[in-house]
Amino acid sequence: MLERQIKPEGGMVYCDLGKLCPEAGQIIDCALTLTQVLPERRVALAAELMDGDTCLGARLFTIPPHHEPAAADLRLTGLRFYLPEGTDRPLTLRADAHYMDRNERCLL
């Protein structure tokens, strides 16, 4: 794991973390399908990789609205979690999704 401390002083801050070799651990690549998503509504999605009661990583997404005339299924890919050390224990992937908008039209 690479870590740098930065002190923002206004404006944009750029930080080069240097080199990282991902071969030391494992990458878990996940996908899921949100079913029957209503048109013109954004969705908030949280995905967590759990080892028992311990969260190993979390991903939070805002899915933009679709513009189909009716509810549609949305396939999400590329939910990746990095494990710094291999594990032999079973892991749990937990996901939760909620609408962010009510019935008003979202133009984003």
Side-chain angles (χ1 to χ4, degrees):
M1 178 170 90
L2 295 174
E3 186 175 331
R4 298 273 195 271
Q5 290 186 349
I6 57 173
K7 295 180 182 176
E9 296 179 10
M12 182 171 69
V13 176
Y14 173 76
C15 180
D16 183 358
L17 291 176
K19 296 180 180 181
L20 177 66
C21 180
E23 294 177 8
Q26 292 179 308
I27 295 175
I28 298 174
D29 192 359
C30 308
L32 62 88
T33 301
L34 294 173
T35 59
Q36 298 298 307
V37 176
L38 296 175
E40 310 303 332
R41 291 193 184 185
R42 294 175 299 163
V43 176
L45 172 74
E48 295 176 304
L49 183 65
M50 306 293 291
D51 181 2
D53 290 335
T54 304
C55 179
L56 300 177
R59 299 287 181 263
L60 305 173
F61 297 95
T62 300
I63 294 102
H66 70 83
H67 306 293
E68 300 296 323
D73 294 349
L74 303 177
R75 180 83 175 151
L76 303 174
T77 59
L79 298 165
R80 292 189 177 146
F81 296 92
Y82 176 72
L83 298 176
E85 298 173 6
T87 179
D88 295 337
R89 295 182 299 243
L91 301 174
T92 302
L93 182 64
R94 180 168 61 188
D96 193 19
H98 296 279
Y99 287 117
M100 296 176 65
D101 302 306
R102 292 177 287 175
N103 288 330
E104 57 268 350
R105 181 173 171 80
C106 178
L107 300 176
L108 296 179

